[in-house]
Structure formats: structure tokens, C-alpha cells
């Protein structure tokens, strides 16, 4: 725990995906909310088919969904959300011809029903 899901639009062709995931994982570890770096599981999905709004202007997005075991305070969740958003903003050069939206959503997972085992 936690599980980080990153969705990004295919028109963000210069995105260094593995570097981005590592940066986000490091932000989570630096928060002090998680016991081991081994517990952080992140993945990225490139969205090939998408539409942002109704304009024909080039647009794209990066959306992070962070799933956490329930029990953290609203303040902690807000801090995690803001830290992840800041890390996305600092990724580097954004395409000049594409309007990009960045978002982070923090979701509680039911602690009582979550199961996990590490093999190996």
C-alpha cells in the first residue's frame, strides 16, 4: 500500500513515464506516511482515445489516482495530493501547442477487506 495509478494522454509524447513514476514514488516515501518503499505500487496507462472538453484545440491530461488504506486524516490526504500535483507540475517541458490538465485524486480503500502477500 499505496497504489498509484497514472493515466496520461498519448499526445504527451515526451513524457518519461518510468522517471515520472519513480519521482511520484519518491514523493510518497518522503511524506513519511509509508513504512517501506517496497509497499508502493505504481503503474501508468497511456490513454489513446480521449477528449478534453468540446474544443478542437489540442488538449491532454495527466491524472493520478492514489488509493490508500482508510484511516488517514483529511489533512494528510490533502498534503499527499498537493505534493503529487507539485511533482507533476515540475516534470519539465510541457508541449507548447497542447493545453494539459493535471489532477490528483486520493481514494480510501477499506482497510478491513484489503489483503496482500509478498512472494519471494
Amino acid at each position: 500500500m499505496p497504489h498509484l495509478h497514472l493515466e496520461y494522454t498519448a499526445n504527451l509524447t515526451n513524457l518519461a513515464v518510468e522517471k515520472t513514476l519513480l519521482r511520484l514514488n519518491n514523493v510518497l516515501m518522503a511524506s513519511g506516511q509509508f513504512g517501506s518503499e517496497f509497499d508502493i505500487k505504481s503503474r501508468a496507462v497511456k490513454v489513446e482515445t480521449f477528449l478534453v472538453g468540446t474544443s478542437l484545440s489540442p488538449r491532454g491530461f495527466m491524472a493520478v489516482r492514489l488509493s490508500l488504506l482508510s484511516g488517514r486524516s483529511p489533512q494528510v490526504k490533502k498534503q499527499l495530493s498537493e505534493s503529487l500535483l507539485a511533482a507533476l507540475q515540475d516534470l519539465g517541458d510541457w508541449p507548447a501547442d497542447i493545453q494539459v490538465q493535471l489532477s490528483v485524486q486520493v481514494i480510501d480503500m477499506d482497510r478491513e477487506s484489503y489483503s496482500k502477500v509478498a512472494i519471494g
Side-chain angles (χ1 to χ4, degrees):
M1 186 55 25
H3 290 270
L4 186 141
H5 300 259
L6 169 65
E7 291 183 336
Y8 66 97
T9 54
N11 59 350
L12 301 177
T13 56
N14 291 331
L15 179 64
V17 179
E18 289 180 14
K19 179 181 169 188
T20 299
L21 290 177
L22 181 58
R23 182 180 185 111
L24 296 173
N25 285 2
N26 282 322
V27 166
L28 293 175
M29 270 313 294
S31 74
Q33 290 295 311
F34 310 103
S36 168
E37 54 82 26
F38 182 67
D39 290 335
I40 301 171
K41 290 159 282 300
S42 62
R43 71 278 281 157
V45 176
K46 183 190 319 183
V47 180
E48 296 286 346
T49 305
F50 61 93
L51 182 63
V52 179
T54 60
S55 174
L56 297 179
S57 300
R59 294 176 173 168
F61 65 82
M62 291 182 68
V64 169
R65 186 176 71 246
L66 180 65
S67 299
L68 303 170
L69 290 177
S70 57
R72 288 184 176 80
S73 72
Q75 294 82 8
V76 166
K77 292 187 276 189
K78 179 177 173 122
Q79 183 272 327
L80 289 169
S81 176
E82 290 174 349
S83 296
L84 290 169
L85 186 61
L88 290 178
Q89 287 177 283
D90 291 340
L91 284 177
D93 297 328
W94 292 98
D97 59 336
I98 300 173
Q99 185 181 29
V100 180
Q101 293 184 23
L102 307 175
S103 65
V104 177
Q105 178 184 20
V106 178
I107 300 170
D108 280 334
M109 293 175 41
D110 183 50
R111 185 175 292 274
E112 288 74 31
S113 65
Y114 182 76
S115 299
K116 174 180 105 173
V117 64
I119 300 172

